[in-house]
Amino acid sequence: MSIPDPGASHLLVVDDDERIRGLLQKYLIRQGFMVTAARDAAQARRLLQGLSFDLIVLDVMMPGEDGISLTAWLRKLSPVPVILLTARGEARDRIAGLEAGADDYIPKPFEPRELVLRINAILRRAPRPEATAHKPQVLILGQMRYEPESGELRDGNEAVRLTQTEGALMRLLAASQGQVVSREALVDHLGRDRGGASGEMTQERAIDVQITRLRRKIEPDPKRPRYLQTVRGEGYMLTVG
């Protein structure tokens, strides 16, 4: 599997069920998408205020604010396509979701392949935003500045060169800023070999090496990382400020 295209569509998956959320994120990454996950509407709102997405996959039944309410709020701000997921398949629920502004509606349980087909169908219909339509978001890492849309890292006025793998890592970590990204997810995002368990361990060690190299470029003190943090037993997390 090759490194995903930096121009791959960026999806936001919102579901309070950790197992479903993780499985969907992993599956969609393997289908070539960039994927950010949120556990509830509140976290989704925070992500939507700082990042742009090509499509949102949104569970309806969540504690706190539900998916239909979030869709209605989103429709006041953005035309980004929304696919609603719900265990309820009655006509009135589908109508409520569509009236709120959803583009499609899939009752649970569903086949992941069907979801991918519907995502691709919607993305084909939806015009990609113009490059000038949104001001590129800039992440501040001390004196470093990173622009996710262009993939450019700068130290003051000086450009810092990232390798292809480092660039792909930064894009994924920036898309999931403030959230832990597991080593397994990083391996899936960057491409996994077929060497079985030993191959998987080799890939995860390779990720650790790439993280170390990336820290040398973004951290004032790579041995005491402030921005690219290790979350013991879970993975890595990019924080900004």
Side-chain angles (χ1 to χ4, degrees), residues 13-185:
V13 173
V14 189
D15 198 308
D16 65 297
D17 187 313
E18 183 177 1
R19 185 184 69 86
I20 293 176
R21 186 172 68 245
L23 288 173
L24 272 180
Q25 184 176 28
K26 184 175 180 180
Y27 181 79
L28 292 170
I29 287 172
R30 287 180 171 174
Q31 300 307 305
F33 297 105
M34 289 185 63
V35 184
T36 298
R39 62 183 173 272
D40 57 22
Q43 186 179 19
R45 281 177 179 257
R46 292 193 295 271
L47 290 168
L48 286 161
Q49 289 171 357
L51 295 171
S52 60
F53 298 93
D54 297 295
L55 184 142
I56 300 172
V57 179
L58 175 59
D59 186 32
V60 169
M61 298 299 294
M62 296 185 293
E65 184 179 10
D66 64 27
I68 292 176
S69 173
L70 181 62
T71 300
W73 169 81
L74 182 62
R75 275 295 161 264
K76 298 175 183 178
L77 306 175
S78 169
V80 62
V82 174
I83 295 178
L84 292 177
L85 307 177
T86 182
R88 299 185 302 183
E90 296 183 13
R92 64 174 178 271
D93 297 317
R94 295 197 299 271
I95 292 170
L98 296 172
E99 285 181 340
D103 296 81
D104 205 347
Y105 195 102
I106 303 181
K108 294 180 180 179
F110 59 89
E111 287 291 333
R113 178 167 169 74
E114 179 186 359
L115 175 61
V116 170
L117 291 172
R118 296 202 189 193
I119 289 172
N120 285 330
I122 291 174
L123 291 176
R124 283 194 299 268
R125 297 195 302 266
R128 295 297 291 255
E130 296 291 336
T132 57
H134 302 282
K135 182 179 179 181
Q137 183 203 19
V138 177
L139 304 185
I140 307 300
L141 309 167
Q143 66 180 24
M144 310 293 292
R145 295 165 61 87
Y146 177 71
E147 295 186 1
E149 291 188 18
S150 66
E152 184 177 62
L153 178 68
R154 301 191 72 85
D155 184 353
N157 293 323
E158 188 172 329
V160 178
R161 181 182 175 276
L162 296 175
T163 66
Q164 186 179 29
T165 301
E166 289 167 352
L169 271 176
M170 274 298 294
R171 285 183 186 276
L172 178 59
L173 290 165
S176 305
Q177 60 175 292
Q179 301 178 72
V180 178
V181 182
S182 68
R183 286 183 176 83
E184 183 180 28

